[in-house]
Amino acid sequence: MAENILNVIGIEAYMGMVILLFSIGILGVLFRRSVIVLLMSIEIMLNAVNLLLVIFSVYHQDSSGQVFVFFSMAVAAAEVAVGLAIIVSIFRNTGIVDISLLKNLKG
């Protein structure tokens, strides 16, 4: 029987990678002003959380976490499609996609 990959590598290495990915996403959200980079950073953070769910699902030998990740990724794909459509619409109307300049778009 094949050995569990978490026993070979260790759960700490995976959790370190999740922390690194989530930190990169947080830094992208906090310090970048481009809407595209902001969306990519949010997706990195979401993928870090999904990876953590899969890690703990494998660790506890329960597949429900992996099923949840599948549906979460489907919702995230729809979110990105809607977000990009909104960004394209804003760019067509204003000609910019800089967050600091888009504060005045309130109703």
Side-chain angles (χ1 to χ4, degrees), residues 17-57:
M17 185 173 60
V18 166
I19 291 170
L20 179 68
L21 281 174
F22 198 82
S23 299
I24 290 170
I26 288 285
L27 290 174
V29 167
L30 292 177
F31 294 116
R32 300 297 294 215
R33 292 290 131 206
S34 172
V35 179
I36 301 294
V37 174
L38 181 78
L39 281 176
M40 287 180 2
S41 298
I42 291 171
E43 286 298 316
I44 288 174
M45 291 174 10
L46 182 64
N47 283 332
V49 173
N50 284 339
L51 181 60
L52 190 64
L53 280 170
V54 169
I55 291 167
F56 283 128
S57 175

Side-chain angles (χ1 to χ4, degrees), residues 44-91:
I44 288 174
M45 291 174 10
L46 182 64
N47 283 332
V49 173
N50 284 339
L51 181 60
L52 190 64
L53 280 170
V54 169
I55 291 167
F56 283 128
S57 175
V58 170
Y59 182 74
H60 292 291
Q61 297 175 350
D62 183 19
S63 63
S64 61
Q66 296 174 10
V67 171
F68 183 77
V69 166
F70 177 75
F71 287 113
S72 172
M73 291 183 89
V75 170
E79 168 204 349
V80 167
V82 170
L84 285 176
I86 291 171
I87 290 171
V88 168
S89 174
I90 290 173
F91 182 75

